[in-house]
Amino acid sequence: MSLAVGTIGSLVLIAAILSGANVMVALALVGAIGLAIIGDFNVATALMGSVFFDTTHSFNFSVIPMFLLMGFFAMRAGLGQDMFDAATKWLGGLRGGLAISTTIGAAAFGAAAGSSVGSATIFTRLALPEMLARGYDKRLASASIAISGTLAVMIPPSALMVVYGILTDTSIGGLLLAGVIPGFTFAFILCFATYLWVRIYPESAPQMVERFTMREKMASLRLVGPLLLVIVVIILGLYLGFFTPTEAGGVGALVTLILAAIRHRGLKGVELTETLLDTVKTSGMIFAIIIAAILFSKFLAFSGVTHALGGFLTGLETNRWVIVGFIVLIYLVLGMLMDAPGLLAITLPITHPVMLGLGFDEIWVGVFVVLLCELGAVTPPVGINCFVVQAASEGRVELDEVFRGLTPFFLAGLVMLVLLCLFPEIATFLPDTMKQ
């Protein structure tokens, strides 16, 4: 009886999401009603209360607003513009140099902001006009920005990594450190994909006529000093155990606030009230999804669906990579239909125990799944990063141009997934050495 209820509830949830229902509302309703049917109404209300209280009163959960606040301050501090300007002076003379500079700038900015959408918005405003003015193909220009935005959730601070850690009870500090090497490796692969594109189609990225002296190049490095300071403070502090992820978020928020105040010569230009409101709104949305997801996962556990499906998949007499391929397909398909937090909320109650049952390291699984979710952020029809680039372009590019330009970069993402499978140490090295 319980298993049947769990199966029907899962199908209802999928149908509701495909019909366009809000993911958080669908998760909460299916979870609450399912628990009431399996147990009784009192059990359902008691669990809802305990889940809500445990989520909102846990110190570990405060890392989310801290990281978000740091990201908003980083945007106000203009750290993305400084990094892009410096990268352009060093790499702009290469064919496709502006697109490569965008990727490098987004990777570095991601280490201070942690927001995929925020990174895509900023670099659309910074880099897209420059690339189009110099004759870049619209598909290359817009797609390179959309995919580069995904680097922000691989490199700490990453709110999505934190969400994953909360939903799976995995070490958040370990997950954040695990994303460092894969994040910068993925940035290199994207740069190489851009290089191949412009080699095959040189007309898509004319070379810059403007040249910079060595003095100008060296002077530009001073611009990236504040950004490097934030990166060192966060990554090194976590690695050496100077502070917890929550404390890292607080320190990072303080440093980026100081940098923003220096840039604007006071707090007025920082728009402190608006920044705090944006942080509260975004945090509230993420917390709502987490609460609904935990409620739904308890429903699946009590109904027996998690145990039954996990036991079936891990019991198959086939190579474990076949099952991994099936899970990859699930994420890529569902990633076309919903955003990353919602995707994690729906899938992790089942896929996480299955992957662990197959013998994979939980930290490695986190990096692998987050990368899958971010590939979904650039695939149609949802592809939120693509919508962000098109909206921020102010009519310079059409949505179909962004999507059509993403094929080589999506393939680069698949290459990164393969590298993670072949060399899992890419993700596990830093967390393992941190533990020693």
Side-chain angles (χ1 to χ4, degrees), residues 106-376:
F109 179 71
S115 169
S116 178
V117 170
S119 181
T121 302
I122 286 177
F123 281 91
T124 299
R125 294 171 179 168
L126 290 175
L128 187 65
E130 285 285 330
M131 286 193 274
L132 296 184
R134 298 179 187 278
Y136 273 58
D137 186 295
K138 289 183 178 181
R139 294 170 299 173
L140 170 61
S142 58
S144 64
I145 295 172
I147 192 67
S148 295
T150 65
L151 296 170
V153 299
M154 293 293 294
I155 304 168
S158 167
L160 195 60
M161 286 285 194
V162 174
V163 171
Y164 181 95
I166 291 171
L167 292 177
T168 62
D169 197 26
T170 304
S171 167
I172 293 175
L175 284 169
L176 293 173
L177 284 175
V180 175
I181 298 177
F184 286 111
T185 302
F186 189 29
F188 174 80
I189 293 173
L190 292 177
C191 291
F192 186 68
T194 301
Y195 172 78
L196 289 180
W197 182 327
V198 299
R199 289 285 293 179
I200 298 171
Y201 305 104
E203 69 281 359
S204 63
Q207 283 188 285
M208 286 178 57
V209 177
E210 186 179 2
R211 291 291 183 268
F212 300 97
T213 65
M214 182 54 66
R215 175 176 292 183
E216 290 174 315
K217 290 179 179 180
M218 295 304 295
S220 71
L221 295 180
R222 290 181 297 179
L223 297 173
V224 305
L227 180 56
L228 293 177
L229 173 64
V230 176
I231 295 173
V232 170
V233 167
I234 298 300
I235 297 178
L236 200 60
L238 285 171
Y239 183 75
L240 297 178
F242 288 155
F243 35 63
T244 65
T246 301
E247 292 166 345
V251 171
L254 176 61
V255 173
T256 49
L257 171 60
I258 293 172
L259 293 175
I262 293 174
R263 188 181 190 93
H264 294 284
R265 298 180 180 179
L267 291 177
K268 186 176 182 180
V270 179
E271 300 175 338
L272 192 58
T273 302
E274 182 181 343
T275 301
L276 294 174
L277 284 174
D278 287 341
T279 302
V280 170
K281 291 177 183 177
T282 309
S283 299
M285 178 195 70
I286 294 176
F287 270 60
I289 291 176
I290 291 174
I291 292 170
I294 293 175
L295 193 64
F296 178 71
S297 67
K298 289 185 178 296
F299 161 60
L300 289 183
F302 285 137
S303 68
V305 169
T306 302
H307 178 75
L309 188 55
F312 170 75
L313 290 175
T314 54
L316 290 175
E317 294 183 2
T318 183
N319 190 291
R320 66 175 184 170
W321 293 109
V322 174
I323 300 175
V324 171
F326 177 67
I327 291 175
V328 167
L329 186 62
I330 291 175
Y331 274 99
L332 292 181
V333 171
L334 292 180
M336 298 178 183
L337 306 174
M338 65 189 73
D339 60 9
L343 181 56
L344 289 180
I346 290 172
T347 58
L348 285 180
I350 295 174
T351 60
H352 182 70
V354 168
M355 293 290 278
L356 296 189
L358 293 173
F360 291 104
D361 181 88
E362 62 179 354
I363 297 291
W364 179 89
V365 173
V367 175
F368 189 78
V369 168
V370 166
L371 177 57
L372 278 173
C373 290
E374 281 308 297
L375 289 180

